[in-house]
Amino acid sequence: MARYNAWQNRQLTEILTGVPDDELRKDRGAFFGSIMETLNHILWGDTMWMSRFNSDISPPLIPSDQHREFTPTFAVWSAERFRMDGAIRLWADSLDTVALKGQLTWYSGMTKRDLSEPLETCVVHMFNHQTHHRGQVHAMMTAAGLPAPVTDIVFMPKDE
């Protein structure tokens, strides 16, 4: 899933590079409004989860109620997305089955309390969350007349 995530984000970056900012920020009626706000939501969420999984990653400085503006421009998003995808790949490559069976406990700003779940459940959630919201980006891109990335995991290049 880490490889798939990076592949999907590389495709989005390639397709969306050069699209005018006003098109990326146009409210398209999606849950987070625009393509850019949805991309920021995914990256913010990945940063938050990865800070819980890996102490080398700092949690986002922007609070959850401002996460739609996590990065100010598409260029900054692209650079941060590339860095986060690399961090996710390195972290995922270091996991083993025993670690995944452990518990993860964290403070949830949304519920205002400590939560605890199996790490494997949290990891699946992070990847499922990415895929869910990238699907919304895909729909907004096609509605805007933009090409959309190939999303079928069976077509992911083997060297990804």
Side-chain angles (χ1 to χ4, degrees), residues 79-106:
E80 292 300 318
R81 182 75 264 174
F82 180 79
R83 278 193 278 285
M84 180 54 61
D85 290 345
I88 291 171
R89 293 268 318 255
L90 288 171
W91 171 79
D93 287 345
S94 74
L95 285 177
D96 60 32
T97 304
V98 173
L100 286 169
K101 295 296 180 187
Q103 286 290 115
L104 178 69
T105 301
W106 74 97

mmCIF file of all heavy atoms in Angstrom, residues 79-106:
data_model
loop_
_atom_site.group_PDB
_atom_site.id
_atom_site.type_symbol
_atom_site.label_atom_id
_atom_site.label_comp_id
_atom_site.label_asym_id
_atom_site.label_seq_id
_atom_site.Cartn_x
_atom_site.Cartn_y
_atom_site.Cartn_z
ATOM 1 N N ALA A 79 6.158 19.003 -3.168
ATOM 2 C CA ALA A 79 7.405 18.715 -2.459
ATOM 3 C C ALA A 79 7.130 17.995 -1.144
ATOM 4 O O ALA A 79 7.791 17.004 -0.811
ATOM 5 C CB ALA A 79 8.176 20.007 -2.208
ATOM 6 N N GLU A 80 6.154 18.467 -0.391
ATOM 7 C CA GLU A 80 5.824 17.838 0.888
ATOM 8 C C GLU A 80 5.241 16.438 0.683
ATOM 9 O O GLU A 80 5.512 15.529 1.466
ATOM 10 C CB GLU A 80 4.848 18.709 1.685
ATOM 11 C CG GLU A 80 5.456 20.007 2.165
ATOM 12 C CD GLU A 80 6.648 19.786 3.080
ATOM 13 O OE1 GLU A 80 6.596 18.901 3.955
ATOM 14 O OE2 GLU A 80 7.650 20.504 2.923
ATOM 15 N N ARG A 81 4.447 16.287 -0.364
ATOM 16 C CA ARG A 81 3.866 14.975 -0.671
ATOM 17 C C ARG A 81 4.973 13.974 -1.008
ATOM 18 O O ARG A 81 4.952 12.836 -0.537
ATOM 19 C CB ARG A 81 2.895 15.126 -1.851
ATOM 20 C CG ARG A 81 2.160 13.873 -2.279
ATOM 21 C CD ARG A 81 1.061 13.504 -1.325
ATOM 22 N NE ARG A 81 1.526 12.522 -0.364
ATOM 23 C CZ ARG A 81 0.813 12.078 0.672
ATOM 24 N NH1 ARG A 81 -0.407 12.531 0.900
ATOM 25 N NH2 ARG A 81 1.298 11.177 1.501
ATOM 26 N N PHE A 82 5.948 14.407 -1.794
ATOM 27 C CA PHE A 82 7.071 13.545 -2.166
ATOM 28 C C PHE A 82 7.841 13.111 -0.920
ATOM 29 O O PHE A 82 8.164 11.938 -0.756
ATOM 30 C CB PHE A 82 7.988 14.280 -3.153
ATOM 31 C CG PHE A 82 9.171 13.475 -3.593
ATOM 32 C CD1 PHE A 82 9.056 12.496 -4.566
ATOM 33 C CD2 PHE A 82 10.419 13.702 -3.024
ATOM 34 C CE1 PHE A 82 10.144 11.752 -4.970
ATOM 35 C CE2 PHE A 82 11.528 12.957 -3.419
ATOM 36 C CZ PHE A 82 11.386 11.977 -4.397
ATOM 37 N N ARG A 83 8.096 14.063 -0.012
ATOM 38 C CA ARG A 83 8.813 13.753 1.221
ATOM 39 C C ARG A 83 8.014 12.779 2.095
ATOM 40 O O ARG A 83 8.571 11.823 2.648
ATOM 41 C CB ARG A 83 9.127 15.027 2.003
ATOM 42 C CG ARG A 83 10.365 15.744 1.509
ATOM 43 C CD ARG A 83 10.820 16.819 2.489
ATOM 44 N NE ARG A 83 10.110 18.078 2.368
ATOM 45 C CZ ARG A 83 10.299 18.959 1.400
ATOM 46 N NH1 ARG A 83 11.167 18.730 0.444
ATOM 47 N NH2 ARG A 83 9.637 20.082 1.381
ATOM 48 N N MET A 84 6.728 13.041 2.226
ATOM 49 C CA MET A 84 5.904 12.171 3.073
ATOM 50 C C MET A 84 5.797 10.772 2.467
ATOM 51 O O MET A 84 5.867 9.776 3.194
ATOM 52 C CB MET A 84 4.505 12.779 3.273
ATOM 53 C CG MET A 84 3.591 11.929 4.133
ATOM 54 S SD MET A 84 4.254 11.480 5.771
ATOM 55 C CE MET A 84 4.465 13.089 6.509
ATOM 56 N N ASP A 85 5.669 10.682 1.158
ATOM 57 C CA ASP A 85 5.578 9.358 0.532
ATOM 58 C C ASP A 85 6.865 8.563 0.746
ATOM 59 O O ASP A 85 6.817 7.353 0.982
ATOM 60 C CB ASP A 85 5.246 9.474 -0.957
ATOM 61 C CG ASP A 85 3.814 9.950 -1.184
ATOM 62 O OD1 ASP A 85 3.005 9.919 -0.235
ATOM 63 O OD2 ASP A 85 3.502 10.354 -2.322
ATOM 64 N N GLY A 86 7.992 9.227 0.707
ATOM 65 C CA GLY A 86 9.262 8.570 1.002
ATOM 66 C C GLY A 86 9.316 8.092 2.440
ATOM 67 O O GLY A 86 9.755 6.970 2.728
ATOM 68 N N ALA A 87 8.852 8.933 3.361
ATOM 69 C CA ALA A 87 8.842 8.562 4.781
ATOM 70 C C ALA A 87 7.910 7.373 5.023
ATOM 71 O O ALA A 87 8.239 6.460 5.794
ATOM 72 C CB ALA A 87 8.421 9.754 5.640
ATOM 73 N N ILE A 88 6.766 7.371 4.356
ATOM 74 C CA ILE A 88 5.824 6.259 4.503
ATOM 75 C C ILE A 88 6.456 4.972 3.983
ATOM 76 O O ILE A 88 6.371 3.924 4.633
ATOM 77 C CB ILE A 88 4.490 6.561 3.785
ATOM 78 C CG1 ILE A 88 3.738 7.679 4.510
ATOM 79 C CG2 ILE A 88 3.626 5.301 3.685
ATOM 80 C CD1 ILE A 88 2.515 8.212 3.755
ATOM 81 N N ARG A 89 7.103 5.043 2.829
ATOM 82 C CA ARG A 89 7.738 3.846 2.256
ATOM 83 C C ARG A 89 8.832 3.305 3.184
ATOM 84 O O ARG A 89 8.891 2.105 3.441
ATOM 85 C CB ARG A 89 8.349 4.144 0.884
ATOM 86 C CG ARG A 89 7.396 4.468 -0.227
ATOM 87 C CD ARG A 89 6.933 3.322 -1.080
ATOM 88 N NE ARG A 89 7.879 2.334 -1.491
ATOM 89 C CZ ARG A 89 8.392 2.208 -2.700
ATOM 90 N NH1 ARG A 89 8.082 3.075 -3.649
ATOM 91 N NH2 ARG A 89 9.201 1.219 -2.993
ATOM 92 N N LEU A 90 9.694 4.174 3.681
ATOM 93 C CA LEU A 90 10.762 3.725 4.583
ATOM 94 C C LEU A 90 10.185 3.107 5.847
ATOM 95 O O LEU A 90 10.651 2.072 6.316
ATOM 96 C CB LEU A 90 11.689 4.888 4.933
ATOM 97 C CG LEU A 90 12.610 5.373 3.817
ATOM 98 C CD1 LEU A 90 13.300 6.670 4.228
ATOM 99 C CD2 LEU A 90 13.627 4.309 3.460
ATOM 100 N N TRP A 91 9.195 3.743 6.419
ATOM 101 C CA TRP A 91 8.570 3.239 7.629
ATOM 102 C C TRP A 91 7.909 1.892 7.364
ATOM 103 O O TRP A 91 8.100 0.930 8.119
ATOM 104 C CB TRP A 91 7.565 4.257 8.159
ATOM 105 C CG TRP A 91 6.719 3.728 9.266
ATOM 106 C CD1 TRP A 91 7.074 3.588 10.579
ATOM 107 C CD2 TRP A 91 5.395 3.229 9.153
ATOM 108 N NE1 TRP A 91 6.040 3.036 11.287
ATOM 109 C CE2 TRP A 91 4.998 2.812 10.432
ATOM 110 C CE3 TRP A 91 4.506 3.112 8.092
ATOM 111 C CZ2 TRP A 91 3.737 2.278 10.682
ATOM 112 C CZ3 TRP A 91 3.251 2.573 8.331
ATOM 113 C CH2 TRP A 91 2.886 2.167 9.614
ATOM 114 N N ALA A 92 7.126 1.798 6.296
ATOM 115 C CA ALA A 92 6.424 0.548 5.980
ATOM 116 C C ALA A 92 7.402 -0.594 5.737
ATOM 117 O O ALA A 92 7.155 -1.734 6.162
ATOM 118 C CB ALA A 92 5.512 0.747 4.774
ATOM 119 N N ASP A 93 8.514 -0.284 5.088
ATOM 120 C CA ASP A 93 9.516 -1.325 4.824
ATOM 121 C C ASP A 93 10.144 -1.860 6.112
ATOM 122 O O ASP A 93 10.682 -2.960 6.126
ATOM 123 C CB ASP A 93 10.613 -0.802 3.892
ATOM 124 C CG ASP A 93 10.146 -0.648 2.455
ATOM 125 O OD1 ASP A 93 9.077 -1.198 2.100
ATOM 126 O OD2 ASP A 93 10.857 0.026 1.676
ATOM 127 N N SER A 94 10.078 -1.085 7.188
ATOM 128 C CA SER A 94 10.688 -1.507 8.448
ATOM 129 C C SER A 94 9.724 -2.292 9.346
ATOM 130 O O SER A 94 10.134 -2.822 10.370
ATOM 131 C CB SER A 94 11.200 -0.288 9.214
ATOM 132 O OG SER A 94 10.105 0.436 9.779
ATOM 133 N N LEU A 95 8.458 -2.361 8.971
ATOM 134 C CA LEU A 95 7.461 -3.033 9.806
ATOM 135 C C LEU A 95 7.586 -4.548 9.737
ATOM 136 O O LEU A 95 8.003 -5.100 8.724
ATOM 137 C CB LEU A 95 6.050 -2.658 9.348
ATOM 138 C CG LEU A 95 5.547 -1.277 9.710
ATOM 139 C CD1 LEU A 95 4.164 -1.062 9.119
ATOM 140 C CD2 LEU A 95 5.517 -1.076 11.203
ATOM 141 N N ASP A 96 7.185 -5.177 10.824
ATOM 142 C CA ASP A 96 7.057 -6.631 10.805
ATOM 143 C C ASP A 96 5.716 -6.994 11.446
ATOM 144 O O ASP A 96 5.033 -6.160 12.042
ATOM 145 C CB ASP A 96 8.225 -7.327 11.501
ATOM 146 C CG ASP A 96 8.377 -6.951 12.967
ATOM 147 O OD1 ASP A 96 7.364 -6.676 13.642
ATOM 148 O OD2 ASP A 96 9.521 -6.940 13.444
ATOM 149 N N THR A 97 5.342 -8.244 11.317
ATOM 150 C CA THR A 97 4.047 -8.709 11.799
ATOM 151 C C THR A 97 3.872 -8.485 13.289
ATOM 152 O O THR A 97 2.790 -8.104 13.748
ATOM 153 C CB THR A 97 3.862 -10.200 11.458
ATOM 154 O OG1 THR A 97 4.030 -10.353 10.050
ATOM 155 C CG2 THR A 97 2.489 -10.700 11.848
ATOM 156 N N VAL A 98 4.920 -8.698 14.050
ATOM 157 C CA VAL A 98 4.832 -8.525 15.505
ATOM 158 C C VAL A 98 4.494 -7.070 15.837
ATOM 159 O O VAL A 98 3.621 -6.795 16.667
ATOM 160 C CB VAL A 98 6.137 -8.978 16.198
ATOM 161 C CG1 VAL A 98 6.112 -8.653 17.682
ATOM 162 C CG2 VAL A 98 6.366 -10.461 15.965
ATOM 163 N N ALA A 99 5.165 -6.133 15.186
ATOM 164 C CA ALA A 99 4.895 -4.711 15.444
ATOM 165 C C ALA A 99 3.443 -4.357 15.102
ATOM 166 O O ALA A 99 2.791 -3.608 15.833
ATOM 167 C CB ALA A 99 5.851 -3.837 14.643
ATOM 168 N N LEU A 100 2.945 -4.887 14.011
ATOM 169 C CA LEU A 100 1.578 -4.582 13.595
ATOM 170 C C LEU A 100 0.529 -5.093 14.584
ATOM 171 O O LEU A 100 -0.574 -4.550 14.650
ATOM 172 C CB LEU A 100 1.299 -5.151 12.211
ATOM 173 C CG LEU A 100 1.954 -4.402 11.053
ATOM 174 C CD1 LEU A 100 1.843 -5.206 9.774
ATOM 175 C CD2 LEU A 100 1.342 -3.025 10.889
ATOM 176 N N LYS A 101 0.873 -6.110 15.348
ATOM 177 C CA LYS A 101 -0.068 -6.677 16.319
ATOM 178 C C LYS A 101 -0.116 -5.881 17.619
ATOM 179 O O LYS A 101 -0.993 -6.101 18.452
ATOM 180 C CB LYS A 101 0.286 -8.136 16.624
ATOM 181 C CG LYS A 101 0.132 -9.056 15.441
ATOM 182 C CD LYS A 101 -1.300 -9.132 14.987
ATOM 183 C CE LYS A 101 -1.459 -10.056 13.801
ATOM 184 N NZ LYS A 101 -2.812 -9.999 13.250
ATOM 185 N N GLY A 102 0.812 -4.941 17.775
ATOM 186 C CA GLY A 102 0.833 -4.131 18.992
ATOM 187 C C GLY A 102 -0.266 -3.087 19.009
ATOM 188 O O GLY A 102 -0.970 -2.858 18.023
ATOM 189 N N GLN A 103 -0.422 -2.440 20.151
ATOM 190 C CA GLN A 103 -1.411 -1.382 20.321
ATOM 191 C C GLN A 103 -0.782 -0.014 20.037
ATOM 192 O O GLN A 103 0.388 0.204 20.347
ATOM 193 C CB GLN A 103 -1.951 -1.384 21.750
ATOM 194 C CG GLN A 103 -2.906 -2.510 22.062
ATOM 195 C CD GLN A 103 -4.240 -2.370 21.372
ATOM 196 O OE1 GLN A 103 -4.571 -3.191 20.533
ATOM 197 N NE2 GLN A 103 -5.001 -1.362 21.709
ATOM 198 N N LEU A 104 -1.566 0.885 19.496
ATOM 199 C CA LEU A 104 -1.179 2.281 19.327
ATOM 200 C C LEU A 104 -2.121 3.104 20.191
ATOM 201 O O LEU A 104 -3.349 2.969 20.079
ATOM 202 C CB LEU A 104 -1.281 2.711 17.865
ATOM 203 C CG LEU A 104 -0.949 4.178 17.596
ATOM 204 C CD1 LEU A 104 0.542 4.438 17.807
ATOM 205 C CD2 LEU A 104 -1.357 4.581 16.182
ATOM 206 N N THR A 105 -1.552 3.917 21.049
ATOM 207 C CA THR A 105 -2.352 4.813 21.884
ATOM 208 C C THR A 105 -1.960 6.239 21.548
ATOM 209 O O THR A 105 -0.769 6.553 21.442
ATOM 210 C CB THR A 105 -2.117 4.520 23.384
ATOM 211 O OG1 THR A 105 -2.472 3.156 23.638
ATOM 212 C CG2 THR A 105 -2.950 5.436 24.268
ATOM 213 N N TRP A 106 -2.944 7.098 21.352
ATOM 214 C CA TRP A 106 -2.697 8.488 20.993
ATOM 215 C C TRP A 106 -3.824 9.352 21.529
ATOM 216 O O TRP A 106 -4.901 8.860 21.848
ATOM 217 C CB TRP A 106 -2.564 8.653 19.474
ATOM 218 C CG TRP A 106 -3.867 8.546 18.723
ATOM 219 C CD1 TRP A 106 -4.662 9.568 18.301
ATOM 220 C CD2 TRP A 106 -4.549 7.340 18.332
ATOM 221 N NE1 TRP A 106 -5.783 9.078 17.676
ATOM 222 C CE2 TRP A 106 -5.727 7.716 17.680
ATOM 223 C CE3 TRP A 106 -4.265 5.982 18.473
ATOM 224 C CZ2 TRP A 106 -6.639 6.793 17.166
ATOM 225 C CZ3 TRP A 106 -5.163 5.056 17.967
ATOM 226 C CH2 TRP A 106 -6.327 5.457 17.320
#
